[in-house]
Amino acid sequence: MGKWEVTAVGLALIGSLMVSGCLSDAVKKIFGIRDTVGPREIKIQLGEGTKPTFSWNTKSGYTITVSFADRPNGPFLWGIKTPGRDGIHPPVVYGSIPPGAVDISDPLYYRPVLERGERYRVQVNTQFATASGYKVFSP
């Protein structure tokens, strides 16, 4: 076998081991291999009340949206994003617009406070959806 064939076979083997989850972290570190099988999951914590505080486990986020739980793709009762970068840092209070963020709330559905007993969904995404997470809640 020539050099190219061995390299192609080796890459195919490494790729199949990565997909099956059998490649050890030590081997990944030696070869500089990063897992790219999907976005990382963002874990969201929220405070109490009708204007909850949202926190999450990544350094920053690109978009944060709140919608009705049964309509996760909108309309957004409240939402913010940062143009061009992950610039929203936790914690963030529902309804606030942090510096550098823009309001993407649907003006027909925006609510200054959430209603007790209603089910909502908060979602946090990083730019290019490298990490994403949501949580269904009721104040």
Side-chain angles (χ1 to χ4, degrees):
M1 279 189 177
K3 184 176 180 183
W4 173 251
E5 293 167 318
V6 171
T7 304
V9 170
L11 289 174
L13 178 61
I14 288 173
S16 65
L17 289 171
M18 282 180 64
V19 169
S20 68
C22 295
L23 199 58
S24 76
D25 289 336
V27 172
K28 290 178 188 176
K29 189 172 183 175
I30 290 169
F31 290 102
I33 299 169
R34 292 189 289 158
D35 291 324
T36 57
V37 176
R40 295 174 296 156
E41 182 182 0
I42 294 177
K43 305 272 190 215
I44 302 170
Q45 302 84 39
L46 56 111
E48 298 290 320
T50 58
K51 289 188 79 154
T53 299
F54 304 112
S55 296
W56 56 93
N57 64 332
T58 58
K59 183 173 74 172
S60 58
Y62 178 66
T63 62
I64 304 171
T65 57
V66 173
S67 60
F68 292 110
D70 61 347
R71 292 185 270 171
N73 296 321
F76 298 136
L77 307 175
W78 171 75
I80 54 177
K81 76 174 190 172
T82 51
R85 66 189 191 293
D86 291 339
I88 303 169
H89 304 283
V92 175
V93 176
Y94 173 84
S96 69
I97 312 293
V102 295
D103 186 0
I104 59 170
S105 307
D106 186 319
L108 296 175
Y109 290 89
Y110 171 75
R111 296 185 176 185
V113 295
L114 299 173
E115 293 180 33
R116 291 195 186 281
E118 184 74 56
R119 288 175 33 90
Y120 300 101
R121 173 184 160 125
V122 60
Q123 182 159 339
V124 177
N125 295 311
T126 58
Q127 192 172 20
F128 308 118
T130 56
S132 181
Y134 72 91
K135 185 171 203 152
V136 174
F137 69 99
S138 187

